Amino acid sequence: MARVVRFHEIGGPEVLRVEDIEVPAPQAGEVQIRVKAMGLNRAEVMFRTGQYVTEPSFPAILGYEAAGIVEAVGTGVTGFSVGDAVSVVPCFMLGEYGLHGELVNAPAIGIVKHPANLLWEEAAATWMMFTTAYGALVDIANIQAGQTVLIRAASSSVGLAAIQITKTLGAIPVALTRRGAKRDELLKQGAAHVIATEEQDLMAEVNRITDGKGAHVAFDPVGGPEVAKILEVLGYLGIFLQYGALDTAPLSVPVMPLLGKDLTVRGYQLFEITKDPAPLQKAKDFIVKGLASGTLRPVIARTFKLDEIAGAHRFMESNVQVGKIVVTV
């Protein structure tokens, strides 16, 4: 028996329960983990409220990220032993597995022996943010030194990961945030420039930063009508990557910038990377190297205890955090 987060109906944070359930032994290709810490993502909030790409089947488990000690391994699993310190790359859909609990099973393909210099909270906060940013900026956009990258919702965990990866590659991270309240913190976290899009002229600022050449990449989890302005400030052969839908309104795509600058507008999910063994291994190698060297480091906004899981979801919904929300066991 172990305490696991579940919910029995769609709703607000109050529907979450920490329940004692029997956790089955790991099946073939699975690893069982005694959890020390869990990462919370926007995806779990959307899953709980019925707004995610998959629908919950009740009673529903949830959770994409966790770090802890290997408790058992299923048949066919190699490279991991009982007692190993590991964390999990999201490589499954919510509903298939759920990592928010004291004892959980996860597919072995997503298990990583993270660098020993990480705290449990940091290990649990790592993989969604850095793998999402890696897949877009490195695997797809192949950003190069000196290129300008616009990072929307930059204070989110993925936004901060994108800032770090962009800097690691010698490119120029430009943080986009709605208002200037988070400007100083984003500069502290490594942004070369910060643009408050509700307070500043996006076109004028990007032209100033790029000497009129426009940005090479825009990385956006929001969408909605503001996308039109972002496409306008991309340069020739610019790439717009949409990786979320916080605004579910249709995208507004202006035709003349699209044609005149030969832009690429592309949807992206990290599962492009994490469900394909070859790019997944490249992502693991890149991120582990960065974590070990210290050039990549997850930023943690706040930690909660397992019994405070509803409060952690409420904090996520407040949108005041800068970085990752982590729940500890």
Side-chain angles (χ1 to χ4, degrees):
M1 301 293 288
R3 301 167 73 230
V4 173
V5 178
R6 301 201 299 181
F7 62 106
H8 297 258
E9 60 181 322
I10 294 295
E14 69 278 358
V15 303
L16 297 171
R17 300 284 184 268
V18 181
E19 300 178 332
D20 288 306
I21 67 170
E22 185 173 348
V23 178
Q27 298 182 11
E30 294 180 345
V31 173
Q32 189 169 86
I33 301 169
R34 179 69 61 178
V35 173
K36 299 291 187 181
M38 301 159 273
L40 180 61
N41 298 283
R42 187 71 58 176
E44 283 99 21
V45 171
M46 297 176 72
F47 188 60
R48 167 179 53 77
T49 57
Q51 299 173 309
Y52 198 51
V53 293
T54 56
E55 295 183 1
S57 177
F58 302 116
I61 53 177
L62 77 172
Y64 268 133
E65 292 181 284
I69 303 292
V70 173
E71 184 90 353
V73 296
T75 58
V77 175
T78 60
F80 299 101
S81 302
V82 173
D84 285 345
V86 298
S87 45
V88 186
V89 182
C91 60
F92 52 88
M93 298 306 295
L94 289 176
E96 296 177 313
Y97 292 90
L99 301 187
H100 288 180
E102 294 176 330
L103 186 68
V104 301
N105 293 317
I109 188 176
I111 306 299
V112 182
K113 294 178 184 177
H114 54 260
N117 61 331
L118 292 188
L119 301 173
W120 288 119
E121 293 86 348
E122 293 173 323
T126 288
W127 292 101
M128 175 69 86
M129 59 190 288
F130 284 115
T131 309
T132 301
Y134 168 91
L137 302 179
V138 180
D139 191 74
I140 296 173
N142 189 28
I143 60 174
Q144 302 295 311
Q147 294 179 333
T148 301
V149 179
L150 305 180
I151 302 165
R152 197 174 180 194
S155 61
S156 69
S157 59
V158 175
L160 295 175
I163 289 172
Q164 292 185 27
I165 288 175
T166 300
K167 284 190 66 178
T168 296
L169 297 173
I172 302 165
V174 179
L176 304 186
T177 184
R178 288 183 299 168
R179 292 177 289 275
K182 297 178 179 178
R183 180 184 303 277
D184 290 346
E185 183 63 28
L186 288 168
L187 291 171
K188 177 182 175 183
Q189 296 299 334
H193 307 274
V194 177
I195 303 174
T197 56
E198 292 182 2
E199 301 170 357
Q200 296 174 276
D201 185 317
L202 180 64
M203 177 69 78
E205 291 300 310
V206 173
N207 281 337
R208 178 183 63 81
I209 292 165
T210 65
D211 293 326
K213 297 175 183 177
H216 179 69
V217 173
F219 185 47
D220 184 0
V222 183
E226 294 298 308
V227 169
K229 296 179 182 178
I230 296 173
L231 293 176
E232 292 273 6
V233 301
L234 290 176
Y236 178 63
L237 296 180
I239 303 170
F240 177 87
L241 290 157
Q242 183 79 43
Y243 73 95
L246 297 178
D247 186 336
T248 57
L251 299 185
S252 178
V253 178
V255 174
M256 296 315 294
L258 186 70
L259 296 177
K261 294 186 282 190
D262 295 336
L263 303 181
T264 296
V265 179
R266 191 189 193 286
Y268 160 71
Q269 295 185 80
L270 88 159
F271 303 111
E272 283 189 49
I273 305 298
T274 63
K275 291 193 174 185
D276 188 334
L280 174 57
Q281 189 58 53
K282 289 181 180 179
K284 288 179 180 179
D285 292 345
F286 179 95
I287 295 165
V288 166
K289 180 180 178 181
L291 293 169
S293 69
T295 58
L296 302 181
R297 200 79 179 187
V299 177
I300 297 176
R302 185 174 168 185
T303 60
F304 291 80
K305 299 294 186 182
L306 182 59
D307 286 329
E308 300 171 321
I309 187 67
H313 277 240
R314 290 188 187 96
F315 186 61
M316 170 71 76
E317 292 177 331
S318 74
N319 296 319
V320 300
Q321 73 275 11
V322 176
K324 192 82 169 190
I325 300 168
V326 173
V327 179
T328 60
V329 178

